[in-house]
Amino acid sequence: MATQIPSLFESCTPHDDVLSGTLSENEFAAKLSDVVFRPDDAPDIYADPDTFFSKTYATDGLQDLLTLLAKRYAGKETGDFSGEDGLLSLDTVFGGGKTHSQIAAYHFSQNPDAIEDLEKYIVDEEARTEFQSIKNDLSVRTAVFEGGYVSATNAKCNKDDENAPNTQTMWGELAYQLAGADGYAKFSEYDDDRVAPGESDITELFDTLDDPGLVLIDEVAQYFEQAAAVGVEDSTLADQTNSFLWSLMRASQNTDAVTVILSVSATAFENRAKEVQELIDDLDDISERTEHSVTPTEDDEVAAVLQHRLFESVDDDVAARVAEEYQSYYRKFEDELPDRVTKAEFREQLEHAYPFHPTLIDLLGKEIDTLPSFQRTRGALKLVSRAVHRIWNDRQANEGRHYVRTFDMHPSDDHVWSTLIDLFEHIEQDLRTASKSDIYTNDGKAACQYEDDNWTPMGHPPIATHLGTSILWKSIVSGGNRGRGVTRRKLWEMILEPGVELDHYRDALKNLNETGSNPDTEAFFLYETENGLLRFKGEPKISKLITNEAPQIEPGVARH
């Protein structure tokens, strides 16, 4: 069957920077402040609006966001109130594409012509038509405040603007960016005293603007962390900032004058001081009460975002064919696999996620995403770009491949390894030694590498490495009440492919997992729990301690 199914190389063409492995690390770290205030230092993929939109997938959340902006801009220009909410909250877990959405809003407002096909982003035909009628004369006043870019004692954002005042607060800085020196003059006393203006003051500022305004506030929780340490009479600058945001929210309602887009990543600050967390919770209350909530990247859009950014082309007809062939193949092993693989919904997932296997998308979009150090969209792009590079860089070994899998995110890759190390810090087990002992070492003396030597000379893929790498990733994520790890059924779903017998995987796993089978191929740190979960742990098995001297069980030390 394997020869009947088109391979990845026949149906997919990665972008050149993915193929060459030159997709820069900083391209995964979008910073709103760099795009706005230091565009020459920002990667072109973010700083250049044409490049940005050509490489951006129009998620439902992004369509919702830009459609709302289009309606409000048209309302301001025509004088006919749009009726849309003035505060847009990017309702997302940490790392769900919020900064990317902020950048999209900025470029859309400053350079709407950068979008070649407006229909992709503004799906409401009436809103699109009305926006097209005003966009040529559209001039949007933008104000940007990124919490991590400024300090609690110096809020000046554009260091190159010699005329910009040395603002001390969020409200002073936003007033200057929106309305220049005259706007700042209205708030200068409030800025000097670090006392928040009220709703009427903000409304008066808005009334001076002839053009629509856009306020982008990112990483506000990080700013609160600093501002909580600055005393202001009987309160703090964080308290005053919280009060300002409440007033800003109220002033943006029932008018199209200024739209506020706010993101609060509370998940990233769950271990912060209680005072700061209470302020973050207050902002979450704002989001629940008055604004339109936008989710930048839904779980089921992760695959589409990856496909759009990493691949120049993917053959949709092949995707449908591969999905059909794989489900037929899975039905032969339905007693060995999870129930879902035979259902129609799973066939659709196989097609829509292509060229990524659904188990990879689940891992990145629903499982690892729960760890606070992992940023879903950015983290997934980083890992999967390396996986694709790994496959295409060793085309001969991967000739019969049909999907990008979890095991392609291999610890031998420096970029993948750095992510793994970060993730290890957020689970109860440090798996660095386990990875080096059991999965991969530069000298080829890890257990999986020894076991691979039993298979690759006969033309099989590195079966043990596929097993070990998949189990490693599942050892990081939680399986709910059952804990971290993976069942055999789920493991077979993650790795099984036409051309390799299931019994081969069983035999390789037995050699890795069975105590006393072979001192070279037995995995030091691989365990199977009473409820059938395979997982790596940070401590070696007692049986191996008996047969191996303690100094051998150290990070970076070879098995022999």
Side-chain angles (χ1 to χ4, degrees):
M1 174 180 286
T3 58
Q4 299 174 357
I5 306 176
S7 72
L8 286 170
F9 307 108
E10 297 174 76
S11 59
C12 307
T13 303
H15 286 299
D16 288 341
D17 54 359
V18 178
L19 280 174
S20 62
T22 58
L23 192 59
S24 176
E25 180 78 10
N26 63 5
E27 292 194 23
F28 300 115
K31 293 188 66 174
L32 177 63
S33 55
D34 284 350
V35 170
V36 177
F37 303 116
R38 300 187 303 178
D40 291 342
D41 296 333
D44 283 345
I45 190 173
Y46 296 120
D48 179 69
D50 296 295
T51 304
F52 176 84
F53 282 114
S54 70
K55 294 291 181 68
T56 294
Y57 176 77
T59 63
D60 290 346
L62 205 51
Q63 291 173 341
D64 196 9
L65 174 63
L66 298 193
T67 297
L68 284 167
L69 286 177
K71 288 180 178 180
R72 286 182 59 82
Y73 292 162
K76 170 66 175 176
E77 291 294 286
T78 62
D80 187 10
F81 178 50
S82 67
E84 299 293 337
D85 293 308
L87 174 66
L88 307 181
S89 172
L90 298 179
D91 179 19
T92 170
V93 294
F94 188 55
K98 59 182 180 54
T99 301
H100 197 93
S101 296
Q102 296 260 28
I103 294 173
Y106 175 77
H107 282 319
F108 173 74
S109 302
Q110 295 297 304
N111 300 279
D113 288 333
I115 301 177
E116 290 186 4
D117 185 2
L118 205 58
E119 187 174 353
K120 287 174 56 179
Y121 290 91
I122 305 178
V123 294
D124 184 314
E125 184 177 358
E126 182 179 350
R128 186 172 63 254
T129 300
E130 191 167 7
F131 179 73
Q132 286 175 322
S133 69
I134 61 101
K135 76 180 180 72
N136 289 337
D137 298 320
L138 181 66
S139 176
V140 178
R141 299 286 191 99
T142 57
V144 174
F145 192 93
E146 181 182 336
Y149 186 69
V150 298
S151 72
T153 57
N154 185 356
K156 181 177 178 179
C157 293
N158 190 349
K159 312 299 183 185
D160 295 331
D161 185 352
E162 297 178 354
N163 298 318
N166 291 317
T167 53
Q168 301 183 73
T169 64
M170 180 185 292
W171 47 90
E173 181 62 23
L174 292 179
Y176 175 73
Q177 289 188 43
L178 276 177
D182 291 340
Y184 179 72
K186 292 182 178 296
F187 279 14
S188 61
E189 187 173 341
Y190 294 118
D191 186 54
D192 290 339
D193 295 339
R194 294 191 174 96
V195 175
E199 178 184 353
S200 61
D201 300 302
I202 298 172
T203 299
E204 184 179 339
L205 176 69
F206 288 177
D207 288 342
T208 66
L209 303 178
D210 294 328
D211 301 316
L214 173 66
V215 173
L216 300 172
I217 303 176
D218 198 11
E219 305 294 354
V220 67
Q222 187 171 349
Y223 181 70
F224 274 159
E225 174 77 1
Q226 303 172 42
V230 179
V232 179
E233 297 182 354
D234 293 332
S235 66
T236 68
L237 181 58
D239 294 327
Q240 294 296 318
T241 304
N242 192 47
S243 176
F244 167 70
L245 288 173
W246 275 99
S247 298
L248 179 66
M249 172 271 297
R250 288 193 292 265
S252 67
Q253 302 306 301
N254 304 314
T255 173
D256 290 319
V258 175
T259 304
V260 180
I261 301 179
L262 173 70
S263 71
V264 182
S265 296
T267 306
F269 288 83
E270 59 188 356
N271 295 322
R272 300 283 182 155
K274 181 179 179 181
E275 177 185 7
V276 178
Q277 189 63 52
E278 288 173 352
L279 292 173
I280 295 171
D281 292 342
D282 285 344
L283 286 183
D284 286 341
D285 288 342
I286 293 177
S287 299
E288 291 171 4
R289 294 176 188 173
T290 64
E291 94 308 352
H292 186 102
S293 179
V294 175
T295 303
T297 307
E298 299 282 2
D299 287 343
D300 60 1
E301 293 177 316
V302 173
V305 171
L306 292 173
Q307 183 193 100
H308 187 84
R309 177 60 188 93
L310 302 180
F311 287 90
E312 182 179 318
S313 65
V314 174
D315 191 322
D316 291 337
D317 292 334
V318 170
R321 179 180 169 189
V322 172
E324 188 66 37
E325 294 280 5
Y326 257 69
Q327 185 159 68
S328 297
Y329 172 71
Y330 285 149
R331 287 196 178 103
K332 297 179 180 180
F333 301 95
E334 58 183 310
D335 292 338
E336 307 284 348
L337 296 168
D339 293 339
R340 73 167 184 162
V341 301
T342 60
K343 300 184 183 301
E345 292 83 358
F346 189 67
R347 198 215 70 82
E348 292 178 3
Q349 291 179 34
L350 285 165
E351 179 178 350
H352 293 157
Y354 186 82
F356 312 108
H357 196 272
T359 54
L360 172 61
I361 299 304
D362 289 345
L363 184 89
L364 296 171
K366 300 177 182 179
E367 298 173 3
I368 298 180
D369 187 40
T370 62
L371 298 176
S373 67
F374 187 79
Q375 300 176 317
R376 176 173 55 185
T377 307
R378 189 182 305 171
L381 279 169
K382 174 182 176 180
L383 289 172
V384 180
S385 71
R386 300 307 302 177
V388 173
H389 173 71
R390 177 180 172 84
I391 292 170
W392 261 261
N393 197 47
D394 192 1
R395 182 164 178 159
Q396 183 176 355
N398 294 291
E399 196 60 47
R401 295 288 303 281
H402 313 113
Y403 283 100
V404 181
R405 306 275 193 142
T406 298
F407 57 70
D408 292 311
M409 301 187 300
H410 192 263
S412 63
D413 185 282
D414 290 341
H415 300 272
V416 174
W417 182 242
S418 68
T419 298
L420 284 168
I421 291 176
D422 289 341
L423 295 174
F424 293 160
E425 294 179 359
H426 292 276
I427 62 175
E428 73 277 10
Q429 301 283 341
D430 185 346
L431 301 181
R432 287 176 294 179
T433 305
S435 300
K436 293 178 179 180
S437 170
D438 291 353
I439 300 173
Y440 175 81
T441 59
N442 290 330
D443 59 9
K445 292 184 178 181
C448 286
Q449 291 170 296
Y450 276 124
E451 179 60 23
D452 284 340
D453 290 340
N454 294 328
W455 302 98
T456 53
M458 296 183 290
H460 297 297
I463 290 174
T465 292
H466 291 179
L467 288 164
T469 307
S470 300
I471 296 171
L472 175 65
W473 281 105
K474 295 295 284 187
S475 300
I476 295 171
V477 300
S478 175
N481 294 333
R482 302 189 70 181
R484 304 186 194 281
V486 60
T487 63
R488 277 176 165 75
R489 282 177 176 267
K490 189 64 179 180
L491 181 60
W492 304 149
E493 181 191 358
M494 294 176 72
I495 65 177
L496 197 58
E497 60 184 357
V500 183
E501 296 291 335
L502 177 56
D503 284 342
H504 294 339
Y505 289 115
R506 286 199 186 100
D507 291 343
L509 181 58
K510 179 181 178 181
N511 291 339
L512 292 172
N513 193 39
E514 188 174 65
T515 300
S517 58
N518 184 310
D520 286 336
T521 62
E522 183 183 346
F524 286 20
F525 299 83
L526 179 60
Y527 292 77
E528 186 165 9
T529 65
E530 292 181 357
N531 59 350
L533 290 177
L534 292 158
R535 61 175 294 190
F536 287 104
K537 294 185 179 182
E539 305 81 23
K541 296 175 182 176
I542 296 298
S543 62
K544 293 305 293 183
L545 289 176
I546 295 174
T547 56
N548 294 272
E549 295 179 0
Q552 291 177 292
I553 314 300
E554 295 179 3
V557 176
R559 298 169 63 88
H560 297 294

Short mmCIF file of all heavy atoms in Angstrom, two decimals, residues 17-18 20-31 34 41-46 309-310 373-375 377-387 413-422:
data_model
loop_
_atom_site.label_atom_id
_atom_site.label_comp_id
_atom_site.label_asym_id
_atom_site.label_seq_id
_atom_site.Cartn_x
_atom_site.Cartn_y
_atom_site.Cartn_z
N ASP A 17 12.88 29.22 3.12
CA ASP A 17 13.56 29.41 4.40
C ASP A 17 13.37 28.22 5.33
O ASP A 17 14.19 27.97 6.20
CB ASP A 17 13.10 30.71 5.08
CG ASP A 17 11.59 30.81 5.25
OD1 ASP A 17 10.88 29.89 4.83
OD2 ASP A 17 11.13 31.83 5.81
N VAL A 18 12.31 27.44 5.12
CA VAL A 18 12.10 26.22 5.90
C VAL A 18 13.03 25.12 5.38
O VAL A 18 13.67 24.42 6.16
CB VAL A 18 10.63 25.76 5.82
CG1 VAL A 18 10.43 24.46 6.60
CG2 VAL A 18 9.71 26.84 6.36
N SER A 20 15.87 25.45 3.84
CA SER A 20 17.28 25.75 4.12
C SER A 20 17.58 25.78 5.62
O SER A 20 18.74 25.82 6.01
CB SER A 20 17.65 27.10 3.50
OG SER A 20 16.89 28.15 4.07
N GLY A 21 16.53 25.78 6.43
CA GLY A 21 16.73 25.86 7.87
C GLY A 21 17.11 27.24 8.34
O GLY A 21 17.64 27.40 9.44
N THR A 22 16.83 28.25 7.52
CA THR A 22 17.21 29.63 7.87
C THR A 22 16.04 30.43 8.39
O THR A 22 16.15 31.65 8.52
CB THR A 22 17.80 30.35 6.64
OG1 THR A 22 16.85 30.34 5.57
CG2 THR A 22 19.08 29.68 6.20
N LEU A 23 14.94 29.79 8.66
CA LEU A 23 13.81 30.49 9.27
C LEU A 23 14.29 30.99 10.62
O LEU A 23 14.46 30.23 11.57
CB LEU A 23 12.62 29.55 9.44
CG LEU A 23 11.28 30.18 9.79
CD1 LEU A 23 10.85 31.18 8.73
CD2 LEU A 23 10.21 29.11 9.94
N SER A 24 14.52 32.29 10.70
CA SER A 24 15.22 32.88 11.83
C SER A 24 14.45 32.74 13.13
O SER A 24 13.23 32.83 13.16
CB SER A 24 15.48 34.37 11.56
OG SER A 24 16.07 34.99 12.66
N GLU A 25 15.21 32.53 14.21
CA GLU A 25 14.59 32.39 15.53
C GLU A 25 13.75 33.61 15.88
O GLU A 25 12.68 33.49 16.45
CB GLU A 25 15.69 32.20 16.58
CG GLU A 25 15.19 32.05 18.00
CD GLU A 25 14.64 30.66 18.28
OE1 GLU A 25 14.82 29.77 17.45
OE2 GLU A 25 14.02 30.49 19.34
N ASN A 26 14.23 34.82 15.50
CA ASN A 26 13.48 36.00 15.89
C ASN A 26 12.19 36.17 15.10
O ASN A 26 11.35 36.99 15.45
CB ASN A 26 14.34 37.27 15.76
CG ASN A 26 14.78 37.56 14.33
OD1 ASN A 26 14.38 36.88 13.39
ND2 ASN A 26 15.63 38.56 14.17
N GLU A 27 12.02 35.39 14.03
CA GLU A 27 10.76 35.44 13.29
C GLU A 27 9.64 34.77 14.07
O GLU A 27 8.46 34.91 13.73
CB GLU A 27 10.91 34.80 11.91
CG GLU A 27 11.80 35.59 10.98
CD GLU A 27 11.66 35.15 9.53
OE1 GLU A 27 10.63 34.56 9.18
OE2 GLU A 27 12.60 35.39 8.76
N PHE A 28 9.99 34.02 15.12
CA PHE A 28 8.98 33.40 15.95
C PHE A 28 8.63 34.30 17.14
O PHE A 28 7.80 33.95 17.95
CB PHE A 28 9.45 32.05 16.47
CG PHE A 28 9.77 31.08 15.38
CD1 PHE A 28 11.07 30.64 15.19
CD2 PHE A 28 8.79 30.61 14.53
CE1 PHE A 28 11.37 29.74 14.18
CE2 PHE A 28 9.09 29.72 13.52
CZ PHE A 28 10.38 29.28 13.34
N ALA A 29 9.30 35.43 17.26
CA ALA A 29 9.12 36.28 18.42
C ALA A 29 8.61 37.65 17.99
O ALA A 29 9.34 38.64 18.01
CB ALA A 29 10.44 36.42 19.19
N ALA A 30 7.37 37.71 17.58
CA ALA A 30 6.77 38.97 17.14
C ALA A 30 6.69 39.95 18.30
O ALA A 30 6.25 39.60 19.39
CB ALA A 30 5.38 38.71 16.58
N LYS A 31 7.13 41.19 18.06
CA LYS A 31 7.05 42.23 19.08
C LYS A 31 6.36 43.44 18.47
O LYS A 31 6.86 44.04 17.51
CB LYS A 31 8.43 42.60 19.62
CG LYS A 31 9.10 41.48 20.40
CD LYS A 31 10.37 41.97 21.08
CE LYS A 31 10.07 42.99 22.15
NZ LYS A 31 11.30 43.37 22.91
N ASP A 34 8.47 46.72 18.33
CA ASP A 34 9.50 46.78 17.29
C ASP A 34 8.88 47.15 15.95
O ASP A 34 9.45 47.95 15.19
CB ASP A 34 10.22 45.44 17.17
CG ASP A 34 11.22 45.20 18.29
OD1 ASP A 34 11.49 46.15 19.05
OD2 ASP A 34 11.70 44.07 18.42
N ASP A 41 14.52 47.20 12.75
CA ASP A 41 15.09 46.12 13.56
C ASP A 41 14.20 44.89 13.61
O ASP A 41 14.62 43.85 14.11
CB ASP A 41 15.32 46.62 15.00
CG ASP A 41 16.36 47.73 15.07
OD1 ASP A 41 17.23 47.77 14.19
OD2 ASP A 41 16.29 48.55 16.00
N ALA A 42 12.99 45.02 13.12
CA ALA A 42 12.04 43.90 13.16
C ALA A 42 12.17 43.06 11.89
O ALA A 42 12.49 43.58 10.82
CB ALA A 42 10.61 44.42 13.30
N PRO A 43 11.93 41.75 11.97
CA PRO A 43 11.96 40.91 10.77
C PRO A 43 10.94 41.40 9.74
O PRO A 43 9.85 41.86 10.10
CB PRO A 43 11.57 39.52 11.30
CG PRO A 43 11.87 39.56 12.76
CD PRO A 43 11.63 40.97 13.19
N ASP A 44 11.29 41.28 8.47
CA ASP A 44 10.40 41.75 7.40
C ASP A 44 9.03 41.10 7.47
O ASP A 44 8.03 41.73 7.11
CB ASP A 44 11.02 41.48 6.03
CG ASP A 44 12.12 42.47 5.69
OD1 ASP A 44 12.20 43.51 6.38
OD2 ASP A 44 12.89 42.19 4.76
N ILE A 45 8.99 39.86 7.92
CA ILE A 45 7.71 39.16 7.96
C ILE A 45 6.71 39.86 8.86
O ILE A 45 5.50 39.73 8.70
CB ILE A 45 7.90 37.69 8.40
CG1 ILE A 45 6.61 36.90 8.19
CG2 ILE A 45 8.38 37.61 9.84
CD1 ILE A 45 6.76 35.43 8.45
N TYR A 46 7.20 40.66 9.82
CA TYR A 46 6.32 41.43 10.68
C TYR A 46 6.31 42.91 10.32
O TYR A 46 5.26 43.55 10.38
CB TYR A 46 6.74 41.27 12.15
CG TYR A 46 6.60 39.87 12.66
CD1 TYR A 46 7.70 39.17 13.14
CD2 TYR A 46 5.36 39.23 12.66
CE1 TYR A 46 7.57 37.87 13.61
CE2 TYR A 46 5.23 37.94 13.13
CZ TYR A 46 6.34 37.26 13.60
OH TYR A 46 6.21 35.97 14.04
N ARG A 309 2.18 29.05 6.67
CA ARG A 309 3.49 29.68 6.91
C ARG A 309 4.65 28.82 6.45
O ARG A 309 5.68 29.33 5.98
CB ARG A 309 3.65 29.99 8.41
CG ARG A 309 5.02 30.58 8.77
CD ARG A 309 5.27 31.88 8.03
NE ARG A 309 6.63 32.37 8.20
CZ ARG A 309 7.64 32.13 7.40
NH1 ARG A 309 7.48 31.34 6.33
NH2 ARG A 309 8.83 32.65 7.62
N LEU A 310 4.53 27.50 6.54
CA LEU A 310 5.68 26.63 6.29
C LEU A 310 5.73 26.07 4.88
O LEU A 310 6.80 25.67 4.42
CB LEU A 310 5.68 25.47 7.30
CG LEU A 310 5.74 25.87 8.78
CD1 LEU A 310 5.75 24.62 9.66
CD2 LEU A 310 6.96 26.74 9.07
N SER A 373 4.91 27.85 29.71
CA SER A 373 6.08 28.33 28.96
C SER A 373 5.94 28.13 27.46
O SER A 373 6.78 28.60 26.69
CB SER A 373 7.35 27.61 29.44
OG SER A 373 7.30 26.25 29.11
N PHE A 374 4.87 27.46 27.02
CA PHE A 374 4.72 27.17 25.60
C PHE A 374 3.73 28.13 24.97
O PHE A 374 2.58 28.23 25.39
CB PHE A 374 4.25 25.73 25.38
CG PHE A 374 4.24 25.32 23.92
CD1 PHE A 374 5.42 24.96 23.29
CD2 PHE A 374 3.06 25.30 23.19
CE1 PHE A 374 5.43 24.60 21.95
CE2 PHE A 374 3.06 24.94 21.86
CZ PHE A 374 4.25 24.58 21.23
N GLN A 375 4.17 28.83 23.95
CA GLN A 375 3.31 29.76 23.24
C GLN A 375 2.80 29.07 21.98
O GLN A 375 3.57 28.81 21.06
CB GLN A 375 4.08 31.03 22.90
CG GLN A 375 4.58 31.74 24.15
CD GLN A 375 5.42 32.95 23.81
OE1 GLN A 375 6.25 32.90 22.91
NE2 GLN A 375 5.21 34.04 24.52
N THR A 377 0.94 29.30 19.00
CA THR A 377 1.20 29.56 17.58
C THR A 377 2.68 29.69 17.31
O THR A 377 3.23 29.08 16.40
CB THR A 377 0.47 30.85 17.15
OG1 THR A 377 -0.91 30.74 17.51
CG2 THR A 377 0.58 31.04 15.65
N ARG A 378 3.37 30.50 18.12
CA ARG A 378 4.79 30.73 17.93
C ARG A 378 5.60 29.45 18.19
O ARG A 378 6.51 29.10 17.44
CB ARG A 378 5.24 31.85 18.88
CG ARG A 378 6.64 32.36 18.66
CD ARG A 378 6.96 33.42 19.69
NE ARG A 378 5.97 34.48 19.68
CZ ARG A 378 5.92 35.45 20.60
NH1 ARG A 378 6.79 35.47 21.59
NH2 ARG A 378 5.00 36.39 20.55
N GLY A 379 5.26 28.76 19.27
CA GLY A 379 5.98 27.54 19.62
C GLY A 379 5.78 26.44 18.61
O GLY A 379 6.71 25.71 18.25
N ALA A 380 4.55 26.32 18.11
CA ALA A 380 4.26 25.30 17.11
C ALA A 380 5.02 25.57 15.82
O ALA A 380 5.58 24.66 15.20
CB ALA A 380 2.75 25.23 16.83
N LEU A 381 5.07 26.82 15.39
CA LEU A 381 5.81 27.17 14.17
C LEU A 381 7.29 26.82 14.30
O LEU A 381 7.90 26.27 13.38
CB LEU A 381 5.65 28.66 13.87
CG LEU A 381 4.36 29.09 13.17
CD1 LEU A 381 4.21 30.60 13.18
CD2 LEU A 381 4.32 28.56 11.74
N LYS A 382 7.85 27.14 15.45
CA LYS A 382 9.26 26.86 15.67
C LYS A 382 9.55 25.37 15.59
O LYS A 382 10.46 24.93 14.87
CB LYS A 382 9.68 27.41 17.04
CG LYS A 382 11.11 27.06 17.45
CD LYS A 382 11.41 27.61 18.84
CE LYS A 382 12.79 27.20 19.32
NZ LYS A 382 13.10 27.74 20.67
N LEU A 383 8.77 24.57 16.31
CA LEU A 383 9.01 23.13 16.35
C LEU A 383 8.74 22.46 15.01
O LEU A 383 9.54 21.64 14.54
CB LEU A 383 8.13 22.50 17.43
CG LEU A 383 8.50 22.81 18.88
CD1 LEU A 383 7.42 22.29 19.83
CD2 LEU A 383 9.86 22.19 19.24
N VAL A 384 7.63 22.79 14.40
CA VAL A 384 7.25 22.09 13.18
C VAL A 384 8.12 22.53 12.00
O VAL A 384 8.39 21.73 11.10
CB VAL A 384 5.75 22.27 12.88
CG1 VAL A 384 5.35 21.54 11.61
CG2 VAL A 384 4.91 21.76 14.05
N SER A 385 8.59 23.75 12.00
CA SER A 385 9.50 24.17 10.93
C SER A 385 10.77 23.32 10.97
O SER A 385 11.32 22.94 9.92
CB SER A 385 9.86 25.65 11.06
OG SER A 385 10.70 25.89 12.17
N ARG A 386 11.23 23.00 12.18
CA ARG A 386 12.41 22.14 12.30
C ARG A 386 12.10 20.70 11.91
O ARG A 386 12.94 20.00 11.34
CB ARG A 386 12.95 22.19 13.73
CG ARG A 386 13.37 23.57 14.19
CD ARG A 386 14.34 24.24 13.26
NE ARG A 386 15.56 23.45 13.07
CZ ARG A 386 16.55 23.78 12.25
NH1 ARG A 386 16.44 24.86 11.50
NH2 ARG A 386 17.62 23.03 12.16
N ALA A 387 10.89 20.25 12.21
CA ALA A 387 10.48 18.90 11.82
C ALA A 387 10.45 18.77 10.29
O ALA A 387 10.95 17.78 9.73
CB ALA A 387 9.11 18.57 12.41
N ASP A 413 17.90 18.09 17.24
CA ASP A 413 17.85 19.44 16.69
C ASP A 413 18.00 20.45 17.82
O ASP A 413 17.26 20.40 18.81
CB ASP A 413 16.52 19.65 15.95
CG ASP A 413 16.44 20.99 15.26
OD1 ASP A 413 16.21 22.01 15.95
OD2 ASP A 413 16.60 21.04 14.04
N ASP A 414 18.93 21.37 17.71
CA ASP A 414 19.21 22.33 18.78
C ASP A 414 17.99 23.17 19.13
O ASP A 414 17.75 23.49 20.31
CB ASP A 414 20.37 23.25 18.39
CG ASP A 414 21.70 22.52 18.35
OD1 ASP A 414 21.79 21.43 18.96
OD2 ASP A 414 22.64 23.04 17.72
N HIS A 415 17.20 23.56 18.12
CA HIS A 415 16.02 24.39 18.37
C HIS A 415 14.96 23.60 19.13
O HIS A 415 14.32 24.12 20.05
CB HIS A 415 15.45 24.90 17.04
CG HIS A 415 16.41 25.73 16.25
ND1 HIS A 415 16.52 27.10 16.43
CD2 HIS A 415 17.29 25.40 15.28
CE1 HIS A 415 17.44 27.57 15.61
NE2 HIS A 415 17.92 26.57 14.89
N VAL A 416 14.78 22.34 18.74
CA VAL A 416 13.83 21.48 19.45
C VAL A 416 14.30 21.23 20.88
O VAL A 416 13.52 21.29 21.83
CB VAL A 416 13.63 20.15 18.70
CG1 VAL A 416 12.75 19.20 19.50
CG2 VAL A 416 13.03 20.40 17.31
N TRP A 417 15.58 20.96 21.02
CA TRP A 417 16.13 20.66 22.34
C TRP A 417 15.97 21.84 23.30
O TRP A 417 15.64 21.65 24.48
CB TRP A 417 17.60 20.28 22.21
CG TRP A 417 18.27 19.90 23.50
CD1 TRP A 417 19.32 20.52 24.10
CD2 TRP A 417 17.93 18.81 24.36
NE1 TRP A 417 19.67 19.90 25.27
CE2 TRP A 417 18.83 18.83 25.46
CE3 TRP A 417 16.96 17.81 24.32
CZ2 TRP A 417 18.78 17.91 26.49
CZ3 TRP A 417 16.91 16.88 25.35
CH2 TRP A 417 17.81 16.94 26.42
N SER A 418 16.17 23.06 22.80
CA SER A 418 16.00 24.23 23.67
C SER A 418 14.57 24.36 24.14
O SER A 418 14.32 24.74 25.29
CB SER A 418 16.44 25.51 22.93
OG SER A 418 15.56 25.81 21.86
N THR A 419 13.61 24.01 23.27
CA THR A 419 12.20 24.04 23.68
C THR A 419 11.93 22.97 24.72
O THR A 419 11.23 23.20 25.71
CB THR A 419 11.28 23.84 22.47
OG1 THR A 419 11.48 24.90 21.53
CG2 THR A 419 9.82 23.81 22.88
N LEU A 420 12.48 21.78 24.50
CA LEU A 420 12.30 20.70 25.46
C LEU A 420 12.83 21.08 26.84
O LEU A 420 12.18 20.83 27.86
CB LEU A 420 12.99 19.43 24.96
CG LEU A 420 12.28 18.67 23.83
CD1 LEU A 420 13.21 17.61 23.25
CD2 LEU A 420 10.99 18.02 24.34
N ILE A 421 14.00 21.68 26.87
CA ILE A 421 14.59 22.08 28.16
C ILE A 421 13.67 23.06 28.88
O ILE A 421 13.45 22.97 30.10
CB ILE A 421 15.99 22.68 27.95
CG1 ILE A 421 16.97 21.59 27.51
CG2 ILE A 421 16.48 23.34 29.23
CD1 ILE A 421 18.35 22.11 27.18
N ASP A 422 13.10 24.02 28.13
CA ASP A 422 12.17 24.97 28.73
C ASP A 422 10.94 24.24 29.30
O ASP A 422 10.46 24.58 30.39
CB ASP A 422 11.71 26.00 27.70
CG ASP A 422 12.80 26.99 27.33
OD1 ASP A 422 13.77 27.11 28.10
OD2 ASP A 422 12.69 27.62 26.26
#
